């Protein structure tokens, strides 16, 4: 037995050796080999504990059983203790060097020999990493009567239809293989360097311990040499047997993945998900190949074991199959189908994609319905089917609207990851969602090529041959529409192009009037009606996935949020019932989430001339032009957009003001908006009722409050966001003085805690984030929002900040919003953020402010300003600020230009106050 100091984190009692008879083909009859294991079974027996089952943990190359030490440490303390048997494969770790070249078939047989010798009968959950994943799956397919589950981390049933990863190609090269894997320790050092964060020295030494000499590394070299790269390799048939065999496994599966793996990339994850469709999946952003070292996998694994033990086996495979009562679900396309003979405007683009400067472009309801039909047929013609994911990288407007409803018609899953996430965030989102298809503009394909995004590429407009080759474009949307029209005997437009590819209509000096070729539109609509009018609206399974939207990423990597068709329809119905948005409404969609719901509501929608992913680009004139184009009765815009509208209001003409005077409802969502700003907006839309719905990507909207409601609520601890919207219910899970959160919902007034929401339009789940989803749903029947707030005596909800941003002081918990509002009452402060600095339980509050005029560089606030801000905060909240810092501009999220990145500021403030040069946050 190796001395314990070489193995940090390992109880010496776990280490044992077992002599095992071999039935592997590579060994002569009667052979036996000595295995080294880390096994807590004897320890559990000494304690009189009967384990719930056995975790059979198999390492890959070039690690050893040490990789699974955290599972051994946690297994005995789990609510239902498990035996963990972590093996050192033969020729690896501290197991015997057999002197034979052991291939994949031998290693699967070896593992079966070991479990037979140990008398392991079940239930067994296999746990595998790297090539240990393939071997553990091989054991699983041959021991189904014992098998209770499968757990995988960064592995592959390679080649999974793909070429060998570049790193493994290099390791296999004759000029590199022997030296890189056996003669030297290069292969081990490279593997250890894949940890994020880097391995501590003691841990790295432990991983290296069995392989310090070349004689101990023969198994490392043989493992690499046995990689089944193609049909000619000896282990190919065994690999294919395993890869196909796991499709028949009917047990629960958990896949935990590190996306920063240069060997096993997300394409291997997607392949495993295809073969194990019942798998629960969690991608740990920022983690890599050595996931068990990068992240805590023990906690989620034992949580998963407890959870899967409570659900029937059949439930791990079947999709929801509950029947939908008649009349309770109205598909998103129902309104569009009902109005397919209507030649009034449905969607208007003020800056058409094909010709942004040519003036507004319009599709009637008839044209939009026909266009959606042709697009759906065209997409189906290239193999898009229900359940396929399609990433739409297209600006809001006619093209995006048509594509969205075509996907909904097909049952394809829309992936909406917008440029507001920033280049890195957008790339993470797309790779995480793993779409089969990407539809985009040219700029999107520049990024797709640069970042190697997955998905078959479809350009939204025509593209020259050279660019198609450069970007790997397989199709264009105009081609799909033309092909669909030809196959259904529908005459294409006279100019040979689809409505989506056509340029803008002839310019007109009357920009308030939509321009549309009604004659040709009617002819095309009539032709389509001959075959489609009697066809009922497509009704997808209400509980199938419909869309994946992404959070803003303001509190960490953006999360994919999955909505079903039922939940999207519920979102539509909530807006309709809360705000009276019905057929006949004309709305200006200056806020991206709402830019897509017009056709589902039966409302005419217009996209203003702006970059919807950059709200600050909306001007007052652009807003008024859009309102005039459809005689708008409703406007949706973010606070950042409205701020710029007010800043550019001097450019409004009398005609503009007349158009805005017809607006009856203005909604501003995305972030809280102060009453003074709303009051100024009211002067631009004097006839409108102003509302500020509040919500999140996971549930939009949740609450609503009007300008009059804001005034009636007055000031308080946080931002008053009003009362629940139609169909929503709210509660509070109290926060204790140490920052912990109760799991008991409460509606008592003046109790600060995490805000809980229940509503028909709350998301189905987080995408490929099983751990995150489990936490968000850990209070049964509720979604945990991560926001902190309280109810007042009138039942109104006040938001006090994010749970991640609470300040745990020595005297208890403080929330930031009220203190920030107090700081912003100073005339010299434009915007403020209050963050906690120091260890949890002893944090001190620090204010970071944008000043008027802006500071030229970051640093400590001028003495007078600092004292006055401290006094204002103390008077309002009783909070004693430890410091006041100034910055030229506070960091905010890209999407809304309004959510302050308090976590980033907290780190910056701590570093700045520790001394040394103060840099930009």
């Amino acid at each position: 037995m190796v001395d314990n100091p070489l193995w940090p984190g390992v109880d010496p009692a776990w280490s044992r050796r077992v002599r095992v008879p071999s039935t592997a083909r590579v060994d002569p009859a009667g052979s036996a080999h000595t295995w080294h294991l880390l096994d807590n079974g004897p320890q559990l027996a000494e304690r009189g504990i009967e384990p719930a089952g056995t975790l059979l943990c198999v390492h890959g190359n070039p690690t050893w059983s040490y990789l699974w030490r955290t599972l051994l440490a946690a297994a005995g303390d789990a609510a239902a203790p498990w035996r963990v048997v972590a093996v050192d494969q033969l020729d690896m770790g501290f197991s015997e060097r057999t002197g034979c070249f052991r291939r994949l078939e031998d290693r699967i047989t070896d593992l079966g020999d070991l479990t037979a010798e140990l008398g392991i009968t079940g239930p067994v959950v296999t746990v595998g990493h790297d090539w240990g994943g393939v071997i553990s799956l091989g054991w699983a397919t041959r021991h189904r009567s014992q098998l209770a589950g499968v757990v995988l981390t960064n592995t592959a049933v390679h080649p999974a239809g793909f070429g060998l990863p570049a790193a493994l190609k290099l390791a296999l090269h004759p000029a590199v293989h022997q030296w890189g894997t056996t003669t030297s320790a290069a292969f081990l050092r490279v593997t250890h360097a894949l940890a994020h964060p880097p391995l501590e020295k003691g841990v790295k030494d432990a991983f290296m311990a069995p392989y310090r000499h070349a004689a101990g590394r023969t198994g490392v070299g043989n493992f690499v040499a046995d990689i089944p790269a193609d049909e000619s390799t000896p282990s190919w048939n065994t690999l294919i047997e395993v890869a196909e065999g796991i499709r028949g496994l009917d047990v629960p599966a958990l896949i935990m993945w590190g996306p920063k793996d240069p060997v096993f990339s997300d394409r291997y994850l997607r392949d495993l998900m295809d073969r194990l469709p019942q798998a629960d999946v969690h991608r740990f952003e920022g983690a890599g190949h050595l996931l068990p070292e990068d992240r805590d996998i023990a906690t989620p694994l034992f949580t998963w074991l407890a959870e899967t033990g409570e659900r029937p086996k059949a439930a791990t495979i079947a999709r929801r199959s509950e029947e939908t009562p008649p009349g309770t679900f109205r598909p998103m396309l129902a309104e569009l189908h009902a109005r397919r003979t209507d030649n009034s405007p449905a969607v208007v683009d003020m800056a058409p994609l094909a010709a942004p400067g040519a003036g507004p472009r319009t599709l009637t309801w008839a044209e939009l319905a026909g266009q959606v039909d042709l697009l759906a047929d065209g997409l189906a013609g290239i193999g898009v089917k229900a359940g396929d994911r399609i990433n739409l990288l297209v600006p809001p407007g006619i093209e995006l609207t048509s594509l969205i409803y075509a996907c909904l018609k097909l049952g394809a899953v829309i992936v909406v990851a917008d440029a507001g996430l920033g280049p890195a965030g957008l790339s993470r989102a797309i790779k995480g969602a793993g779409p089969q298809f990407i539809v985009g503009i040219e700029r999107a394909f520049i990024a797709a090529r640069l970042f190697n995004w997955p998905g078959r590429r479809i350009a939204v407009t025509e593209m020259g041959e050279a660019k198609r080759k450069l970007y790997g474009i397989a199709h264009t949307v105009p081609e799909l529409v033309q092909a669909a029209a030809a196959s259904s005997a529908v005459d294409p437009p006279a100019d040979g192009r689809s409505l989506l590819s056509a340029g803008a209509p002839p310019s007109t000096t009357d920009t308030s009037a939509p321009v549309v070729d009604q004659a040709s539109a009617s002819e095309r609509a009539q032709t389509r009606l001959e075959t489609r009018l009697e066809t009922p609206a497509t009704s997808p399974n209400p509980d199938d996935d419909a869309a994946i939207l992404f959070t803003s990423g303001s509190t960490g990597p953006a999360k994919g949020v999955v909505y079903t068709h039922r939940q999207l329809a519920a979102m539509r119905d909530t807006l309709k019932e809360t705000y009276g948005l019905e057929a006949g409404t004309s709305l200006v969609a200056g806020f991206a989430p709402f830019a897509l719901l017009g056709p589902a509501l039966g409302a005419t929608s217009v996209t203003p001339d702006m970059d919807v992913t950059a709200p600050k680009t909306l001007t007052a004139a652009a807003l008024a032009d859009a309102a005039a184009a459809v005689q708008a009765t409703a406007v949706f815009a973010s606070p950042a957009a409205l701020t710029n509208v007010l800043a550019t209001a001097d450019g409004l003409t009398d005609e503009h003001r007349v158009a805005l005077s017809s607006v009856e409802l203005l909604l501003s969502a995305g972030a809280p908006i102060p009453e003074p700003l709303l009051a100024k907006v009211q002067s631009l839309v004097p006839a409108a009722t102003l509302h500020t719905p509040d919500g999140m990507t996971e549930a939009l909207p949740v609450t609503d409050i009007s300008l009059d409601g804001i005034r009636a609520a007055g000031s308080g601890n946080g931002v008053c966001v009003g009362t629940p919207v139609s169909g929503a219910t709210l509660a509070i899970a109290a926060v204790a003085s140490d920052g912990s959160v109760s799991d008991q919902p409460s509606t008592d007034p003046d109790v600060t805690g995490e805000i809980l929401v229940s509503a028909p339009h709350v998301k189905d789940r987080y995408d490929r984030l099983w751990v995150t989803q489990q936490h968000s749903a850990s209070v049964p029947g509720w979604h945990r929002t991560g926001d902190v707030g309280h109810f007042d005596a009138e039942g109104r909800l006040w938001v006090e900040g994010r749970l991640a941003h609470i300040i745990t002081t020595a005297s208890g918990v403080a929330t930031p919003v009220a203190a920030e509002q107090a700081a912003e009452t100073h005339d010299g402060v434009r915007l403020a953020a209050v963050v906690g600095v120091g260890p949890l339980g002893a944090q001190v509050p620090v204010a970071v402010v944008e000043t008027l005029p802006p500071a030229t560089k970051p640093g400590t606030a001028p003495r007078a300003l600092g004292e006055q801000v401290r006094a204002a905060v103390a008077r309002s909240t009783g909070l004693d600020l430890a410091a006041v810092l100034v910055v030229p501009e506070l960091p905010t999220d890209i999407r809304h230009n309004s959510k302050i990145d308090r976590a980033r500021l907290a780190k910056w403030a701590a570093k700045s106050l520790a001394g040394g040069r103060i840099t930009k946050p």
Side-chain angles (χ1 to χ4, degrees):
M1 184 176 294
V2 178
D3 289 341
N4 188 44
L6 293 176
W7 304 4
V10 173
D11 187 330
W14 301 336
S15 179
R16 59 182 296 210
R17 283 184 165 83
V18 180
R19 189 73 175 170
V20 179
S22 174
T23 64
R25 284 184 298 188
V26 71
D27 288 325
S31 297
H33 301 295
T34 300
W35 290 65
H36 174 258
L37 317 173
L38 295 181
D39 179 6
N40 70 339
Q43 194 176 62
L44 292 177
E46 287 179 9
R47 294 166 57 189
I49 295 174
E50 181 67 26
T54 300
L55 297 183
L56 181 61
C57 301
V58 188
H59 66 85
N61 187 33
T63 56
W64 56 288
S65 57
Y66 184 69
L67 184 73
W68 307 114
R69 66 194 180 281
T70 60
L71 301 188
L72 286 137
D77 296 327
W82 282 72
R83 181 184 183 183
V84 177
V85 176
V87 308
D88 283 2
Q89 298 192 58
L90 293 176
D91 299 329
M92 300 291 290
F94 290 98
S95 286
E96 181 181 326
R97 274 29 179 188
T98 66
C100 299
F101 192 119
R102 313 193 80 79
R103 299 199 179 275
L104 178 59
E105 177 64 33
D106 300 316
R107 293 194 175 280
I108 295 172
T109 302
D110 289 342
L111 193 58
D113 291 341
L114 173 67
T115 56
E117 180 65 21
L118 292 175
I120 297 174
T121 57
V124 175
V125 174
T126 60
V127 184
H129 172 258
D130 189 82
W131 292 109
V134 182
I135 295 163
S136 68
L137 289 172
W139 186 95
T141 61
R142 301 178 189 186
H143 297 79
R144 299 192 185 203
S145 64
Q146 298 169 249
L147 189 67
V150 169
V151 177
L152 299 169
T153 70
N154 288 65
T155 185
V157 283
H158 178 76
F162 306 108
L164 202 64
L168 294 183
K169 284 183 180 178
L170 178 63
L172 275 169
H173 194 281
V176 174
H177 175 258
Q178 181 67 26
W179 176 85
T181 63
T182 307
T183 306
S184 77
F187 190 72
L188 285 105
R189 287 195 295 269
V190 169
T191 301
H192 300 162
L194 298 178
H196 304 279
L199 298 177
E200 295 179 359
K201 184 180 184 303
V203 171
K204 189 183 296 184
D205 289 344
F207 273 119
M208 190 68 80
Y211 306 115
R212 294 196 180 280
H213 306 289
R217 295 192 288 264
T218 55
V220 174
N222 290 346
F223 236 125
V224 173
D226 188 47
I227 292 172
D230 55 46
E231 294 90 337
S232 66
T233 53
S235 290
W236 178 264
N237 290 337
T238 304
L239 176 69
I240 297 304
E241 177 190 325
V242 173
E244 294 307 312
I246 65 173
R247 294 185 186 276
L249 296 181
D250 62 351
V251 295
L254 173 65
I255 304 176
M256 295 182 283
W257 204 262
K260 292 182 68 174
D261 189 339
V263 181
F264 298 116
S265 63
D266 274 336
R267 65 185 185 182
Y268 297 101
L269 168 62
R270 294 190 292 271
D271 176 75
L272 286 167
M273 292 173 63
D274 177 67
R275 297 171 192 272
L276 295 167
Q278 75 272 31
D280 295 310
V281 178
H282 190 91
R283 296 173 73 258
F284 292 85
E285 284 292 352
H289 180 70
L290 291 176
L291 178 67
E293 297 300 319
D294 293 353
R295 297 292 186 272
D296 169 21
I297 67 165
T299 300
L301 191 153
F302 287 107
T303 300
W304 177 81
L305 287 171
E307 195 268 341
T308 53
E310 296 171 359
R311 59 176 160 173
K313 181 185 289 187
T316 68
I317 298 175
R319 290 283 294 166
R320 287 183 301 273
S321 60
E322 63 265 22
E323 293 294 327
T324 301
T328 61
F329 170 72
R330 192 165 188 256
M332 290 286 284
L333 277 83
E335 191 69 34
L336 182 59
H337 181 78
R339 299 185 65 176
R340 62 185 309 117
T341 61
D342 188 341
N343 285 320
S344 64
V347 289
V348 179
D349 248 349
M350 298 306 293
L353 186 60
R361 176 172 163 239
T362 300
L363 285 190
T364 66
W365 288 98
E367 287 178 315
L368 179 60
Q371 190 68 41
V372 167
D373 290 340
L374 286 177
L375 263 174
D377 291 347
L379 289 167
I382 63 169
V384 179
K385 59 187 183 300
D388 283 348
R389 295 184 170 194
I390 303 185
N391 186 202
L392 302 179
L393 295 171
V394 180
I398 286 174
E399 290 80 7
L400 181 59
T401 300
S402 302
L403 285 162
I404 282 175
Y405 286 87
C407 290
L408 291 174
K409 181 179 175 69
L410 276 176
V413 182
I414 305 155
V415 179
V416 183
D418 61 74
L421 298 176
L426 180 61
S427 190
R428 281 195 300 266
I430 293 172
K431 288 182 177 180
Q436 285 91 351
F437 300 88
I438 293 181
V439 184
I441 58 176
E442 182 178 353
R443 188 171 61 187
F445 294 120
I446 294 173
R449 184 173 184 267
L450 178 64
F451 295 111
N452 194 29
W453 291 343
R456 199 165 159 195
R457 298 174 187 177
I458 304 169
V460 73
T461 56
E462 295 286 8
M463 190 172 286
E465 192 59 36
K467 286 186 176 180
R468 290 182 67 142
K469 185 175 181 180
L470 176 65
Y471 301 134
I473 303 299
H475 309 279
T476 69
V477 166
E479 288 172 357
L480 301 185
V481 173
Q482 289 284 45
S487 65
S488 60
V490 175
D491 292 331
D495 61 2
R497 294 175 292 170
S498 77
L499 292 172
L500 287 184
S501 65
S507 59
T508 173
T509 54
D510 182 9
T511 58
S512 67
V515 181
V516 62
D517 184 349
Q518 295 287 357
S520 61
S522 297
E523 292 170 4
R524 291 193 293 273
Q526 183 61 39
T527 305
R528 296 188 184 100
L529 282 172
E530 292 175 1
T531 56
R532 299 192 184 268
L533 185 56
E534 300 304 320
T535 304
T538 300
S539 298
N541 184 325
D543 295 307
D544 280 347
D545 293 349
I548 301 172
L549 313 179
F550 280 86
T551 61
S552 66
S554 59
T555 56
K559 298 182 287 290
V561 177
V562 180
Y563 278 89
T564 64
H565 291 271
R566 187 192 303 278
Q567 290 153 350
L568 281 185
M571 183 190 300
R572 171 204 63 199
D573 296 342
T574 292
L575 289 170
K576 178 179 179 180
E577 293 161 12
T578 302
Y579 301 110
L581 297 172
E582 299 179 347
T585 301
S586 297
L587 60 91
V588 178
F591 183 53
F594 292 121
L596 315 174
L597 289 172
L601 290 163
T604 299
S605 58
V606 55
T607 305
D609 185 0
M610 66 175 293
D611 180 354
V612 177
T613 65
K616 290 180 180 179
T617 59
L618 180 63
T619 65
L623 176 64
D625 285 339
V630 295
Q631 292 80 52
T633 56
V635 170
F636 296 168
S638 73
L642 291 180
T643 298
N644 197 54
V645 165
L646 290 172
T648 56
D650 290 345
L652 292 174
T653 65
D654 291 342
E655 290 79 8
H656 284 146
R657 294 186 183 277
V658 169
L660 292 174
S661 68
S662 298
V663 175
E664 300 170 359
L665 172 70
L666 185 143
L667 303 178
S668 184
I673 183 167
E675 186 274 338
L677 179 61
L678 277 178
K680 293 177 182 177
V681 172
Q682 181 76 81
S683 67
L684 296 180
V685 285
T689 301
L690 273 58
H691 288 258
T692 62
D694 187 65
M696 58 217 70
T697 308
E698 297 89 340
L700 187 68
V702 172
T703 61
D704 175 75
I705 191 169
S706 67
L707 175 56
D708 289 342
I710 291 172
R711 288 168 171 163
S715 59
N717 182 17
V719 175
C720 183
V721 295
T723 53
V725 294
S726 176
T729 305
L730 300 177
I732 296 292
V735 174
S737 58
D738 62 357
S740 61
V741 182
S742 166
D743 59 1
Q744 295 300 312
S746 169
T747 56
D748 294 340
D750 300 320
V751 174
T752 292
E754 184 176 11
I755 300 168
L756 310 178
V757 58
S758 176
H761 60 283
V762 170
K763 59 119 172 83
D764 186 68
R765 66 190 186 280
Y766 288 112
D767 186 44
R768 300 175 184 176
L769 292 169
W770 183 83
V771 176
T772 308
Q773 173 59 25
Q774 289 301 106
H775 174 74
S776 76
S778 60
V779 179
W782 298 91
H783 167 68
R784 303 181 66 158
T785 67
D787 289 327
V788 177
H790 69 276
F791 294 116
D792 63 18
E794 284 72 39
R796 294 172 297 212
L797 179 67
W798 293 73
V799 176
E800 302 176 45
R802 291 286 294 170
L803 186 62
H805 300 156
I806 62 173
I807 304 166
T808 55
T809 70
S811 56
V813 168
T815 53
V817 172
E820 292 166 354
Q821 292 175 322
E824 289 166 5
T825 61
H826 191 285
D827 291 340
V829 175
R830 192 191 81 80
L831 195 62
V834 173
V835 298
V837 172
L840 295 177
Q843 290 183 323
V844 294
V846 173
V848 185
V849 304
E850 277 186 35
T851 59
L852 290 172
T856 57
K857 61 181 180 179
T860 55
R863 180 175 178 179
L865 174 64
E867 290 176 351
Q868 291 161 7
V869 168
R870 282 192 183 93
V873 170
R875 281 195 305 272
S876 179
T877 68
L879 204 58
D880 184 16
L881 294 177
V884 179
L885 304 175
V886 299
V887 292
E889 185 177 31
L890 288 171
T892 59
D893 68 301
I894 301 172
R895 178 184 290 173
H896 300 106
N897 299 138
S898 55
K899 294 184 178 180
I900 298 171
D901 190 342
R902 294 188 184 90
R904 177 175 163 188
L905 281 176
K907 293 178 182 178
W908 172 82
K911 183 178 178 181
S912 299
L913 294 172
R917 182 171 174 266
I918 299 178
T919 58
K920 182 179 178 182

